[in-house]
Amino acid sequence: MAFRVRADHVVAFQDGGHVLLPDGEVVIEGDVVTAVGPRADPNPGDEVIETGASVLLPGLIDLDALADIDHAVFDSCWGAAHSAGLDWSADWFHNRRRDVLTAAERRFVRHYAFVQLLLHGVTTAMPIAAETHSAWAETFDDGVDMAHAASALGLRAYLGTSYRAGVRIRPAATEPATVAWNEELGRAGLADAVRFAEWLRDLGDPLLRPVLLPCRIETLTPELMKATAAAAARLGTKVRLHCLQGRFEWIRLGERYRRTPVQLLRETGLLGPNLLVPHAIYLNSSRCTADLVDAGDPGDDLRALADAGVAIVHCPLTSARYGSALESFARYRAAGVTIALGTDSFPPDLVRGMDYGVNIAKLVDGRLDAASAGAYLTAATLGGARALGRTDLGRLAPGAAADLVAFSLDDLRDGVLEDPIRTLLASGSGRDVRLSMIAGRVVVRDGVVPGVDISALRTEAQRIFDKLLRAYSERDVLRRPRPELLPPEYPDFRR
């Protein structure tokens, strides 16, 4: 039996890129696409799924996929002085550090986050979760729980456990942030990550692949970075490392190693085609680093990334929330850098993120054609596939994996239909998913994830979120109560 998924608009793959096929269908047998073209008479026994007034796309690829419950929900709302309270205090690091959530609660958070990804049209994910609420970072058992959660939902995922040798702390309310170190935990974390990668490979789930996910570059020692590069080469895995994303990173690396981030990546063996770099905004040719760059620094970071075959994971929505922007989408593309997309914040909505990206590019470059909707959709599909080294993902073509998503375009609030891609980005969102399939399996249909009680999920998520919020006061260097540390937008009504 074959599935025939039909839509008014199909984004098919032809001649090396995406093309628009009106009134088309995608034929699926097993877990692969066998045909893409105009609607044809079905064979006996074929199941026809009609999505009607929708645009049918390759499944979206999110390579900084939010697997958390509170990241970027509120921590981008205040100035530096107030936000200092969201760092770990030195007292918490040295004396009171603990896991805020139980293992069962951490397991729930991953399940909740993966359901959110599916509901927003993501079919391939490389999760990211903050270590804010952990005693240190993720464990082997956390990785196993993630794998089981992804497998149960049918999510295609690149999984790893996070590790680090240091953590950003606040020594005192009036002192700048710094990094506190525990190199033994860093080495143990890498060993755990390698053990998990080997376990995941032995599991034999075709939808799950291992990846190494060290934390931010300023929380790694050069020795841990070199060991990561060696482990990735031995395992044959990708490495995703958050770097080139902020001033703190540049300042700390300059003070500790007298190196820029790209110099350190090169010297430790990480700068290469297996590396994925989320954000990659703070280059030595960017305006935001003009006062940090030594005039004697050799080379151009953008050229170095392109020449090394590094892929960046552009997260437009998250960058905007923290007041930064890629300089620029067009410049990186022209340099030959592979651009994939990520969410890295809630909601994990790549449609909304793509629209942000298109409009931010106009502001950065000062012209209306700085980045098109189609270019961003290509980054969310073919760009992600290229970053992963997968020619079977990110496209609807014979032989490709049967990962697809249909976004509805028939809501009156979408307005009139101009171009289906521009209309989706300008008027729609990830919440418009009508159908999503991964490896030929329906994982979302009309807003329903099979086997998931959305109401119960929402109730438990709120309980855990409130528990996490209470923990911020415990870690705050001033131990401020929640209403003071996380103030509401408006004062309470006075009776």
Side-chain angles (χ1 to χ4, degrees), residues 103 106-107 110 114 140-150 196:
R106 294 198 302 274
R107 192 177 307 123
R110 299 300 188 263
F114 290 169
F140 174 83
D141 289 339
D142 288 330
V144 171
D145 287 341
M146 277 192 284
H148 290 323
F196 173 71

Side-chain angles (χ1 to χ4, degrees), residues 194-251:
V194 169
R195 182 162 71 101
F196 173 71
E198 293 170 341
W199 175 88
L200 187 63
R201 182 164 290 163
D202 291 342
L203 185 66
D205 188 326
L207 295 184
L208 304 180
R209 297 195 182 188
V211 64
L212 293 181
L213 303 177
C215 300
R216 302 164 67 115
I217 191 172
E218 69 269 24
T219 66
L220 307 178
T221 61
E223 292 71 26
L224 191 56
M225 293 172 67
K226 290 176 182 176
T228 295
R234 185 172 69 254
L235 293 166
T237 61
K238 298 284 185 178
V239 178
R240 187 190 65 198
L241 175 59
H242 282 69
C243 60
L244 298 167
Q245 66 174 346
R247 291 178 62 84
F248 180 78
E249 162 197 337
W250 272 75
I251 292 169

Side-chain angles (χ1 to χ4, degrees), residues 30 155 300 316 467:
L155 178 67
D300 173 68
K467 181 178 182 179

Side-chain angles (χ1 to χ4, degrees), residues 418-436:
E418 185 258 331
D419 173 89
I421 307 306
R422 287 194 291 268
T423 298
L424 174 63
L425 267 60
S427 301
S429 77
R431 298 184 182 188
D432 295 321
V433 171
R434 177 165 285 166
L435 174 79
S436 183

Side-chain angles (χ1 to χ4, degrees), residues 66 68-80 82-87 130 132-133 318 321-322 344-347 461-462 464-473 475-476 480-489:
L66 185 69
D68 216 330
I69 207 165
D70 70 331
H71 180 57
V73 173
F74 55 81
D75 61 337
S76 57
C77 299
W78 300 290
H82 188 90
S83 295
L86 303 181
D87 289 327
T132 310
H133 309 296
T318 301
R321 284 183 171 174
Y322 290 99
D344 194 30
S345 57
F346 195 87
Q462 190 63 49
I464 290 177
F465 180 67
D466 290 339
K467 181 178 182 179
L468 294 178
L469 290 186
R470 291 192 294 273
Y472 279 94
S473 293
R475 295 188 295 265
D476 177 23
R480 287 168 287 187
R482 175 177 164 183
E484 184 180 343
L485 180 61
L486 307 173
E489 292 296 321

